[in-house]
Amino acid sequence: MSAKPDGAFDHRIAVHGSDEEFVATSVPFLLEGLAADGEPPPLVVTTPAKIDMVRDALGRDHRLVEFVSSADWYDGSAPNTLAKAAGYIAANAGPRGQIHAIAEPDWSGRAGSSSRESAEWVRYEAMLNVLLAPFEVTAMCPYDTRVASPSIVEAALRTHPTSMHGVERRVSTWYENPMALIARLDSTPLPPRPSDAAVVSSDGDVDGFVVAQATAHGLSSVDAGVFSSAVAEVVALARAGLVYAWPVAGASVCEVVSAAGDMDDLLIGFRPPAAAEPAPGQGLWFTRQVCSYVDVRPSDPGWVVRVQS
């Protein structure tokens, strides 16, 4: 069966276990993009070795395709990559977002380095289904079973409405409502806060507190200042509460605990600000861009927001 689910965004997964399978699925996909009326050059993000394979298979047509290595595209956090994708679409895609793109993270690198990192990328894949829904982007995400673990592949199948089987596209029986999946990921309990964590009231000198703590945790003065600004955006949303700080694995962690604040939106801080002056809640976009991790959890009452430099 070949079908496309409702919505403009076409998000496909291509699970493969050999170079031959990768090329056999990727080349027809790119030719589809090259033949599409009004579309800009397709984009391919994958490893250098696979880029060479696709170039060879395309022949002269490879000059009509944009190639970027996974290491260069996925060079930061999942929110960083989300911002990069949004910027690329805005700058290069057609007026309705038309573009064909192949995007494959390097699962032997950061994306697959820990269960925490893998969960960040699963959330990223799920969010694409929501944030790119209005745009006519056609994306294919290869998952190489020689590198990506079975658990990563299984999770990825839940974030793609369609799957590729050779050149045939099928509606996925694994696909899960993206907001339900994100909600489940965001319900995972956070590790307990250390009992000896430093603390200050949000009515106090939070900036000085965060800078001092982050510097003591090994951050440079510049990085400590950026981290303090990121925490300030959270405090502004929370409006009142307590700010805790402690070190972890060469980084600094701050946790804002508040009985107030409006953080019900599962996508808070993930949507790019549409104007020079961000709307309420969009300051968390900055926080997500400059921090390794940002976790938002409901508390009783209020919210807990934990950020890591």
Side-chain angles (χ1 to χ4, degrees):
M1 176 175 61
S2 179
K4 181 177 179 179
D6 293 338
F9 180 41
D10 184 347
H11 196 195
R12 314 175 189 180
I13 188 171
V15 180
H16 63 283
S18 70
D19 295 339
E20 291 76 16
E21 285 182 277
F22 172 79
V23 172
T25 304
S26 299
V27 170
F29 177 85
L30 294 171
L31 294 176
E32 175 185 290
L34 289 171
D37 289 338
E39 279 205 12
L43 170 68
V44 176
V45 179
T46 186
T47 64
K50 286 182 174 176
I51 286 175
D52 289 342
M53 294 175 202
V54 172
R55 279 181 170 149
D56 289 344
L58 284 173
R60 297 179 63 182
D61 283 342
H62 84 268
R63 293 176 296 180
L64 305 175
V65 177
E66 181 78 16
F67 293 95
V68 181
S69 74
S70 296
D72 290 336
W73 185 267
Y74 298 99
D75 59 352
S77 66
N80 293 156
T81 304
L82 187 63
K84 184 177 293 185
Y88 190 92
I89 292 168
N92 297 281
R96 298 184 305 278
Q98 310 99 300
I99 192 169
H100 275 61
I102 292 174
E104 181 178 25
D106 180 4
W107 291 104
S108 64
R110 174 172 178 166
S113 62
S114 67
S115 58
R116 173 61 197 263
E117 277 293 334
S118 297
E120 290 290 304
W121 291 102
V122 171
R123 180 188 288 103
Y124 163 83
E125 290 272 37
M127 283 188 174
L128 291 179
N129 295 309
V130 180
L131 299 176
L132 296 186
F135 302 101
E136 295 182 17
V137 175
T138 303
M140 187 176 77
C141 302
Y143 278 77
D144 191 335
T145 57
R146 296 169 298 179
V147 183
S149 69
S151 61
I152 288 174
V153 173
E154 180 178 331
L157 287 167
R158 300 184 187 280
T159 64
H160 293 77
T162 56
S163 60
M164 297 302 299
H165 300 263
V167 296
E168 183 184 6
R169 185 177 65 206
R170 302 176 187 171
V171 173
S172 174
T173 58
W174 287 78
Y175 183 62
E176 185 174 342
N177 179 286
M179 296 304 287
L181 191 154
I182 293 166
R184 190 171 71 251
L185 288 172
D186 285 354
S187 67
T188 304
L190 297 174
R193 180 178 65 241
S195 59
D196 60 349
V199 61
V200 68
S201 168
S202 62
D203 294 331
D205 181 11
V206 175
D207 180 67
F209 170 79
V210 174
V211 168
Q213 291 295 316
T215 302
H217 300 160
L219 272 66
S220 69
S221 59
V222 172
D223 288 343
V226 172
F227 187 53
S228 176
S229 297
V231 174
E233 295 293 347
V234 179
V235 172
L237 279 175
R239 296 197 293 271
L242 298 174
V243 181
Y244 295 86
W246 65 91
V248 58
S252 188
V253 175
C254 278
E255 182 175 275
V256 179
V257 180
S258 174
D262 183 9
M263 300 186 192
D264 289 319
D265 183 2
L266 290 171
L267 302 182
I268 189 168
F270 284 104
R271 296 185 183 91
E277 292 296 328
Q282 288 188 320
L284 205 59
W285 166 265
F286 169 77
T287 302
R288 292 195 187 276
Q289 289 302 307
V290 301
C291 293
S292 298
Y293 303 115
V294 178
D295 294 298
V296 180
R297 297 289 188 274
S299 184
D300 187 18
W303 298 89
V304 171
V305 182
R306 184 177 294 183
V307 298
Q308 180 174 321
S309 63

